[in-house]
Structures are given as C-alpha cells and as structure tokens.
Amino acid sequence: MRRRSFIASTIAASALPQLVSAQAAVFDPTPQLVRIKKSYNVGELLILPRSYYLYFVTEPGMAMRYGVGVGKAGLEFTGSATIDVKKEWPTWRPTNEMIERDPKAYARFIGNTEAQPGGPGNPLGARALYLFQNGKDTYFRIHGTTAPKSIGRSVSNGCIRMLNAHVEDLYKRVPLGTKVTVV
C-alpha cells in the first residue's frame, strides 16, 4: 500500500465511527433481536416511550425490540401492569376522558354506549393487549393501529401502538399475566 493511500484510508476510517453512531440514532420500527440488561426477566415487556421501543425479553440479556407510538405528553401510561385480557380484532370505544378532551372528534359516542366493531378500520387494529393493575383495567392498551405513520411518535391518548403485523407477532408470544413495565 502506498503512503498516500494509507493516509487517505486512515482519515476515512477515523470518520467511520461518527457515521456509524449517527446511523445508530435513526429510529427503526422493524422487529429486531437486541441485547438488553440481564436484570430483566424472560417473558417481561419493557417499554421506553422516549425512544419509542417496546422490548420483549426472550432470554437473559436478549429481547425482541419493536417500534411503537406512545401517548401525548401528560396522557402516557407509566409504571407496571399485567396483561389480563387479549383480543383479536377488538371493539373500541373512547374513554370518557377522551370524549371530554375532544367532544367534537368523539361526538357520536356522547350519551350512548356505542362501540366501534373490530376490523381493519378500528383504531385498536388487529390485536389488543389490555393492561391491568391489581385486577383493575387501566384502560391503557398495547394495540395495533390504522395510522402506521404514528409509530415513532407521541400522538396517542395514552396507549402503546404498534404496526398491525408487529402486534400480531407479539400477541402470539405473550401469555396472559405477562408483566409490562413502562419507564
């Protein structure tokens, strides 16, 4: 190797770590097996809303990572819960708090008990995992979405959204009673 080529390749290689670290910061919602702290239990779900990722611990130190959408500031769920109910193509009805916050958007639900049937147009998407604390429904869900562009953003009324194909995969992997921690 000639000296000039060596110097040029050394300069180029020194810039490489900066490029790699810049690429590492790019959000990628694609499910990927990643390393995680060994302190998390196999089968546990960990959600990091600031980074827009949900982790399903598959073995000590490893987790399947999924991109998610999360609640708007002030509406997000934090703490621990368990998945006590799972539904395929769930029905949906906004909570009373959602109706109070935006009566115009949810006008059709005011003064009745109507729920939107499950199906491709339902905001909960293909699957829903219902979060409970001490046996009581929190009204927060991990669910699919009809708005794929919301993944990687803080836009929901508090629930954790996933692409439908991803929530279908997670739905198959997690049993009832799964611990969920949102940090």
Side-chain angles (χ1 to χ4, degrees):
M1 180 182 268
R2 293 175 39 196
R3 183 170 189 239
R4 201 175 275 171
S5 298
F6 176 76
I7 292 170
S9 63
T10 302
I11 291 169
S14 67
L16 186 60
Q18 293 171 340
L19 293 175
V20 171
S21 66
Q23 290 174 346
V26 173
F27 176 74
D28 182 359
T30 308
Q32 298 175 43
L33 197 56
V34 297
R35 293 190 187 283
I36 193 168
K37 290 181 183 178
K38 290 185 178 182
S39 59
Y40 296 105
N41 295 320
V42 173
E44 185 175 349
L45 291 178
L46 175 67
I47 301 167
L48 303 176
R50 289 186 196 146
S51 63
Y52 304 103
Y53 287 117
L54 176 151
Y55 297 84
F56 172 60
V57 183
T58 58
E59 61 184 88
M62 296 299 292
M64 183 62 74
R65 182 185 77 185
Y66 301 86
V68 297
V70 299
K72 299 174 201 171
L75 301 178
E76 63 273 299
F77 175 84
T78 57
S80 294
T82 56
I83 296 171
D84 289 6
V85 174
K86 294 170 44 172
K87 293 185 180 178
E88 296 183 21
W89 297 108
T91 59
W92 173 79
R93 177 178 171 78
T95 64
N96 290 337
E97 291 82 9
M98 290 168 66
I99 295 169
E100 286 174 22
R101 275 193 304 273
D102 195 351
K104 194 174 192 178
Y106 304 116
R108 80 175 224 219
F109 297 99
I110 296 172
N112 62 55
T113 59
E114 180 186 348
Q116 184 170 338
N122 186 301
L124 294 185
R127 305 288 182 272
L129 308 169
Y130 293 63
L131 303 183
F132 282 67
Q133 288 179 320
N134 303 315
K136 295 184 89 174
D137 190 352
T138 64
Y139 294 97
F140 288 99
R141 317 281 185 246
I142 298 169
H143 63 79
T145 184
T146 55
K149 290 183 179 183
S150 67
I151 304 303
R153 302 178 68 199
S154 301
V155 295
S156 79
N157 278 290
C159 291
I160 306 298
R161 304 172 169 203
M162 302 175 72
L163 295 174
N164 279 328
H166 299 173
V167 78
E168 288 175 25
D169 178 64
L170 183 67
Y171 183 93
K172 290 183 231 171
R173 294 174 182 260
V174 299
L176 292 177
T178 296
K179 181 182 176 185
V180 178
T181 303
V182 182
V183 188

